[in-house]
């Protein structure tokens, strides 16, 4: 059985070696100017060092360029792609077709991963972007297990699925917090915790708190719960899904390392003996629940939601 890649988002250079030792196979790095919702900011010097450290451990590094690029940034893409190529990046992640067009000239041999966050929902679309040059499609978080298996069975490109962490529910290029922070609605309000980075959109009716933050790419509202399917990996592994992603955004380095270690164990157990995985998966889930932040309940996302047409 082919083991899926375990892909992790580090928060800094200091995370690379501990995550590699914990069992990560690949890392996503980049800088906010070109990428959306990174777990940590990596300057060009940091990207170079991350690639050096990762390759020394036999791991891969993917440079994220999945932001939405307006005209003022388009001219910069070729230079950054050339940098990623010269740095030895194993792939570049993109969503905006401008990156694909720039890569044809600046880095024609670069492996490209297509990730628009929400539109990779069927195998035909994945294969379309594969014909345009993408080697991998990152599936939307809003599709269920049956759809994931069907896509993998028909895909002509690699398939990546997020298996752990929060996901983005909404993004606006506008600075909504800056513009509307003083606005207090009856049903929703912006709650600012003691730490400036810990801001939540609080839905009292549903009892949910949605992490919300602003950066140069606009306003981002995240899911109230964290996906966790460490005990439900078998269908995707049987289908041959190529990459499992652990998203570490807004999490501590220690948390990301421990979650990576537990998913590494789950994947290895299933490949060794599915019965051993069945026996251990409940305990693995409990260990994640023990370290889970109290404000971040775990759920299975859309994996077992019924598709409605």
């Amino acid at each position: 059985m082919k083991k899926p890649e375990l892909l992790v988002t580090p928060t800094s250079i200091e995370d690379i070696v501990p995550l590699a030792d914990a069992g990560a196979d690949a890392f996503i790095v980049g800088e906010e100017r070109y990428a959306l919702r990174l777990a940590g900011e990596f300057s060009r010097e940091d990207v170079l060092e991350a690639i050096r450290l990762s390759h020394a451990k036999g791991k891969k590094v993917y440079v994220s360029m999945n932001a939405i690029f307006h005209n003022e940034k388009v001219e910069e893409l070729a230079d950054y792609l050339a940098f990623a190529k010269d740095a030895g990046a194993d792939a570049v992640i993109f969503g905006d077709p401008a990156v694909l067009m720039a890569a044809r000239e600046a880095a024609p041999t670069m492996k490209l991963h297509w990730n628009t966050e929400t539109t990779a929902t069927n195998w035909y679309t994945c294969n379309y972007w594969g014909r345009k040059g993408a080697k991998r499609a990152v599936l939307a978080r809003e599709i269920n297990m049956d759809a994931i298996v069907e896509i993998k069975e028909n895909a002509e490109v690699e398939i990546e699925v997020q298996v752990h962490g929060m996901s983005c529910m909404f993004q606006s290029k506008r600075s909504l917090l800056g513009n509307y922070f003083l606005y207090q609605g009856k049903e929703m309000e912006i709650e600012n915790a003691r730490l400036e980075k810990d801001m939540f959109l609080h839905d009292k009716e549903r009892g949910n708190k949605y992490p919300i933050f602003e950066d140069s790419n606009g306003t981002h509202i995240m899911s109230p719960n964290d996906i966790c399917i460490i005990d439900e990996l078998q269908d995707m592994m049987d289908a041959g899904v190529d990459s499992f992603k652990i998203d570490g955004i807004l999490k501590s380095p220690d948390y990301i390392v421990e979650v990576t270690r537990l998913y590494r164990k789950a994947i290895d157990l299933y490949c060794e003996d599915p019965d051993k995985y069945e026996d251990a998966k409940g305990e693995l889930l409990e260990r994640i629940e023990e370290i889970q932040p109290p404000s971040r309940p775990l759920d299975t996302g859309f994996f077992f939601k019924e598709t409605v047409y």
Side-chain angles (χ1 to χ4, degrees), residues 43-57:
S43 66
R44 293 196 183 202
E45 292 74 18
D46 292 336
V47 170
L48 285 167
E49 181 65 5
I51 291 172
R52 185 188 70 81
L53 291 171
S54 300
H55 286 180
K57 291 277 189 178

Side-chain angles (χ1 to χ4, degrees), residues 12-29:
S12 69
I13 286 293
E14 287 70 28
D15 294 353
I16 298 292
V17 171
L19 284 170
D21 292 341
D25 297 310
F27 304 102
I28 295 176
V29 301

Side-chain angles (χ1 to χ4, degrees), residues 54-119:
S54 300
H55 286 180
K57 291 277 189 178
K59 312 299 183 179
K60 295 181 178 180
V61 175
Y62 307 143
V63 175
S64 185
M65 295 181 68
N66 67 329
I68 300 168
F69 297 106
H70 288 195
N71 291 342
E72 69 273 10
K73 288 186 181 179
V74 169
E75 296 301 320
E76 302 176 24
L77 300 181
D79 178 70
Y80 197 72
L81 281 161
F83 157 73
K85 179 191 68 165
D86 293 342
D90 296 282
V92 162
I93 302 166
F94 81 100
D96 194 318
V99 177
L100 178 66
M101 300 301 291
R104 289 176 178 174
E105 293 188 8
T109 61
M110 177 63 69
K111 188 175 181 181
L112 299 173
H113 294 177
W114 176 62
N115 179 17
T116 53
E117 298 282 335
T118 58
T119 61

Side-chain angles (χ1 to χ4, degrees), residues 31-32 37 96 100 103-105 123 176 192 211 258 261:
E31 58 181 276
E32 183 184 301
R37 294 177 287 278
D96 194 318
L100 178 66
R104 289 176 178 174
E105 293 188 8
W123 59 265
L176 298 181
N192 193 359
E258 183 59 23
R261 184 176 291 112

Side-chain angles (χ1 to χ4, degrees), residues 7-9 37-39 141 162-167 222 245-251 255-256:
L7 175 61
V8 186
T9 59
R37 294 177 287 278
L38 294 164
R141 284 73 168 166
Q162 181 178 330
V163 295
H164 194 91
M166 67 175 67
S167 54
M222 310 302 288
K245 179 184 178 184
I246 296 171
D247 197 322
I249 188 170
L250 301 184
K251 294 296 192 302
Y255 174 90
I256 302 170

